[in-house]
Amino acid sequence: MSADGATELEDAYEELLRFVYATPVGLLELDASGAIGIANPVAMQLLLQFVPPEGLTNFFSVMEVLAPELRNLVDGFRPAAGIVCENHRIFAGPASRREAAESKVLGCTLVKLGPNRLMAALLDISVQIAQERRLNEAEAWFSSLIDDSNDFAVVMLDAAGRISAANDSVLQQTGLTERDTIGQQLDIFEADDLCSSRTPPAEKLAAARRNGWHLEEGWHKTGNGGRYWCQMLVTVRAGAEESPGSPIAGYTAILRRAQQHQFNSANLKQLLTTDHLTGARNRAHFFEVAERECLRAIRFGQPLSVIMLDVDHFKHVNDRHGHPAGDETLKTLAQACSRLIRNSDVFARVGGEEFAVLLPATDLQSAAETAEKLRACVAATEIRAANATLQCTISLGCAALNAEARDIPTLLAAADAALYKAKHSGRNRVVVANTRQTILEPVSIPTLELSAKGG
Amino acid sequence: MLATTSTDYRFETIALGALDGLTGEQRDILSFGVIGLGADFIAEIYNATESRLAGISPARVLGSQFFLNIGICMNNYLVAQRFEDEPELDTIIDYVLTLRMRPTPVRLRLLQSPSIARRYILTQR
């Protein structure tokens, strides 16, 4: 090759490098085991949200907690080459427990190029997911307006969120007089409901300002002291057209009686808040509800507890019986536990084999009793995997809000520390935070298969 | 040339002031990568070692927003955010860079001080 040719080639190579350095999509080349061979900076940036730099060697290991199914998808893909998954959604939740506010959703495309070569593309689709959710909710709402000729209560609010007018239907639906409502905030219509989380009025308005509307469902009061399931749409009334930058004129809220959970948005919400593998609530939902319940508990001086639980020797299940058996273990466990908790509790998968239970209006002693029920139930449950019937146990740590733990990260850290103690004092047991005492001694399981080693 | 002065030119210990006072030639013979960023993280310095490691010539880096064009994997709370948050910064961290798209374990030294306009990232393989 001539000197000019070589320079030209070097130049082209450098241009290409510069192009890939700046590519705003994460790209990785992997071998069949998931070992990362080639990666561009965005791939590293996205993965660094979940693991420290030293953990960035194997893609499937990085994803073990958030999307263990990726490895199974690749293992189960029989063709010699082809698309394994396209824009598979990874609900990453907050990057750490301490960043509860921000939920991330990644879209992952995996292409098998040969027996030992895979390409992965990663894209942060958090914003699109949030938009999609809002659009779907709005679509469901507007189609229900067309389909249905129910009576709508209309409430006008001023720019500060105080009720300035209400139509006759409001009075029929709620039993409140105009005098009762004028000057009040939107929560005046809401029934006391310990079992679900409510967005405070200011947050509803903030969401409406951000998105143009805010849609919410919940129990509302009727005139005779009862309650009804109400869908509420809050929209923004824009300021004067000639000065678009001016503050908004106010808000309009429409209240509509509905069948509970019949609405599309409820199904959609179910999809967006559920862990696809286990059917438990997902991590993002857990943190969303936990933050809200925490504020409420502090405001009303009520107790709030959490239980962190973790499958004993889970690594051993995967190593010995394969990942499908591991998945089956998590599914069976989640189903068994979900049956034991109250509707007001939230049972969520927060990590690979790690689950959390949020227990509103529950003190530490009651939480420990619930934890023991979960422990006993799991220990007595048989797990039917394809090639074996297994039994497994869980370790649990409980903590409750108190003078030292007054926020969710601290509360979870306390429950985590208790869980750690439970693990290190023999597993298959419940430990309560801030006490050295194991409240409930484990029951021996005659044919405990999974007692060798591992997590 | 460097040997004749008493300045410390080691990755771990070179002072920000000394680093900022180096000539281009002096920076280019250092064994570690030197990236100097001005206002808005515009790349103003990109030494020969860094250029060789990353496979990009300084001309293609200088004048660009570094964390958007080349150093995207450092555009996070571990690196870029620290420059935003800590006016006085001198720390060494273990990191992984994608040099020529190969994940490469490196040590990074982050240097910033209110008295010097430019902040520096030093990279050592």
Side-chain angles (χ1 to χ4, degrees):
Chain A
M1 192 185 292
S2 70
D4 273 0
T7 313
E8 204 177 298
L9 199 62
E10 276 167 22
D11 222 39
Y13 170 65
E14 215 184 304
E15 268 306 303
L16 195 61
L17 273 184
R18 189 167 78 152
F19 174 77
V20 187
Y21 273 128
T23 300
V25 174
L27 299 172
L28 300 128
E29 190 180 293
L30 317 169
D31 71 11
S33 77
I36 299 170
I38 300 180
N40 74 337
V42 167
M44 286 292 141
Q45 188 202 30
L46 290 172
L47 298 183
L48 273 169
Q49 298 178 86
F50 314 121
V51 286
E54 62 272 17
L56 277 175
T57 50
N58 186 297
F59 180 68
F60 294 143
S61 305
V62 173
M63 287 293 154
E64 193 74 64
V65 167
L66 301 168
E69 71 278 8
L70 286 178
R71 190 195 295 268
N72 300 347
L73 286 172
V74 170
D75 287 348
F77 187 80
R78 293 283 154 243
I83 296 170
V84 178
C85 62
E86 206 164 3
N87 295 316
H88 182 85
R89 288 178 178 187
I90 301 169
F91 287 84
S96 75
R97 286 194 194 129
R98 303 206 171 271
E99 291 168 47
E102 205 184 330
S103 288
K104 286 274 176 202
V105 188
L106 299 185
C108 173
T109 298
L110 281 170
V111 183
K112 186 173 173 183
L113 301 170
N116 196 28
R117 190 164 168 234
L118 291 157
M119 277 288 282
L122 290 175
L123 194 59
D124 186 338
I125 52 170
S126 316
V127 174
Q128 287 96 312
I129 295 291
Q131 279 170 349
E132 192 178 290
R133 172 164 30 187
R134 288 197 293 273
L135 279 176
N136 278 320
E137 284 181 354
E139 193 180 329
W141 170 266
F142 290 121
S143 63
S144 81
L145 282 182
I146 296 162
D147 294 346
D148 226 314
S149 57
N150 269 3
D151 207 315
F152 294 100
V154 182
V155 180
M156 311 294 273
L157 296 100
D158 64 18
R162 287 182 300 264
I163 295 168
S164 54
N167 75 351
D168 289 346
S169 296
V170 174
L171 313 181
Q172 283 166 24
Q173 262 185 36
T174 66
L176 295 166
T177 66
E178 192 168 13
R179 219 164 107 194
D180 296 331
T181 57
I182 300 298
Q184 300 293 319
Q185 298 193 68
L186 271 178
D187 57 357
I188 189 176
F189 301 117
E190 292 172 1
D192 291 332
D193 177 14
L194 286 177
C195 295
S196 73
S197 289
R198 274 288 165 64
T199 320
E203 276 183 36
K204 295 191 223 290
L205 302 182
R209 284 197 301 276
R210 208 165 48 238
N211 309 322
W213 61 76
H214 171 73
L215 186 59
E216 187 173 290
E217 298 185 22
W219 292 112
H220 278 213
K221 286 185 274 203
T222 61
N224 59 11
R227 61 181 195 171
Y228 71 101
W229 190 255
C230 177
Q231 292 167 358
M232 176 160 65
L233 175 73
V234 185
T235 57
V236 176
R237 290 200 311 279
E241 270 181 29
E242 57 273 20
S243 51
S246 72
I248 54 164
Y251 305 86
T252 304
I254 302 171
L255 283 67
R256 170 184 183 270
R257 184 182 287 269
Q259 293 289 311
Q260 189 181 3
H261 300 317
Q262 219 180 35
F263 197 42
N264 283 346
S265 76
N267 298 338
L268 187 75
K269 199 166 180 182
Q270 176 82 14
L271 278 175
L272 290 169
T273 57
T274 303
D275 173 58
H276 65 281
L277 175 69
T278 62
R281 295 303 195 156
N282 64 23
R283 196 180 153 85
H285 179 73
F286 179 85
F287 281 100
E288 194 182 320
V289 178
E291 290 294 339
R292 226 180 275 159
E293 286 297 338
C294 181
L295 290 177
R296 203 226 303 253
I298 290 169
R299 186 170 157 202
F300 294 108
Q302 287 180 335
L304 175 72
S305 298
V306 295
I307 302 169
M308 293 293 294
L309 64 99
D310 188 288
V311 184
D312 296 331
H313 303 297
F314 186 68
K315 187 177 180 305
H316 183 65
V317 180
N318 278 331
D319 290 349
R320 179 156 174 195
H321 301 285
H323 288 283
D327 288 354
E328 201 51 51
T329 302
L330 298 177
K331 263 191 250 178
T332 308
L333 177 157
Q335 282 159 9
C337 291
S338 295
R339 278 198 290 271
L340 287 180
I341 59 162
R342 304 169 301 180
N343 285 339
S344 55
D345 301 335
V346 179
F347 181 82
R349 184 178 180 211
V350 294
E353 69 267 33
E354 200 176 31
F355 295 84
V357 193
L358 182 76
L359 303 148
T362 304
D363 64 18
L364 192 55
Q365 181 59 37
S366 307
E369 284 161 15
T370 301
E372 170 53 22
K373 274 190 219 160
L374 299 177
R375 187 206 63 73
C377 169
V378 170
T381 301
E382 277 194 344
I383 294 145
R384 291 166 205 277
N387 49 1
T389 301
L390 316 172
Q391 273 188 295
C392 78
T393 59
I394 52 177
S395 299
L396 307 94
C398 311
L401 280 187
N402 58 32
E404 288 86 49
R406 292 186 64 78
D407 58 46
I408 291 299
T410 316
L411 186 59
L412 287 175
D416 231 8
L419 168 60
Y420 182 81
K421 274 190 203 165
K423 286 274 182 200
H424 286 263
S425 53
R427 299 188 173 88
N428 187 25
R429 66 189 62 206
V430 176
V431 170
V432 170
N434 301 327
T435 69
R436 287 190 174 278
Q437 178 198 7
T438 300
I439 334 189
L440 298 150
E441 284 300 323
V443 189
S444 69
I445 297 182
T447 52
L448 182 62
E449 236 216 274
L450 318 166
S451 55
K453 57 179 187 247
Chain B
M1 169 179 45
L2 291 178
T4 59
T5 72
S6 60
T7 313
D8 185 344
Y9 292 104
R10 281 172 299 172
F11 171 82
E12 290 86 358
T13 46
I14 185 169
L16 180 56
L19 189 64
D20 201 49
L22 293 179
T23 66
E25 271 184 350
Q26 286 172 322
R27 274 194 304 266
D28 282 347
I29 59 170
L30 294 173
S31 63
F32 49 87
V34 179
I35 302 158
L37 305 175
D40 295 330
F41 298 121
I42 301 288
E44 295 180 347
I45 284 170
Y46 200 72
N47 81 338
T49 306
E50 186 61 29
S51 166
R52 201 168 51 246
L53 291 172
I56 296 269
S57 55
R60 285 188 158 91
V61 177
L62 296 177
S64 69
Q65 281 226 13
F66 181 73
F67 290 124
L68 288 181
N69 285 276
I70 304 291
I72 301 184
C73 57
M74 292 184 266
N75 194 9
N76 57 21
Y77 68 99
L78 295 169
V79 181
Q81 191 63 43
R82 294 196 65 173
F83 284 113
E84 302 273 14
D85 295 345
E86 300 171 47
E88 196 75 59
L89 182 61
D90 182 357
T91 184
I92 295 180
I93 57 173
D94 289 321
Y95 210 71
V96 176
L97 295 179
T98 49
L99 297 168
R100 302 180 190 221
M101 310 313 147
R102 303 286 166 175
T104 314
V106 293
R107 290 205 303 157
L108 297 182
R109 183 158 171 227
L110 314 179
L111 284 159
Q112 171 165 270
S113 167
S115 58
I116 291 175
R118 214 174 263 152
R119 37 263 166 110
Y120 283 86
I121 301 171
L122 310 185
T123 69
Q124 189 181 52
R125 278 196 70 171

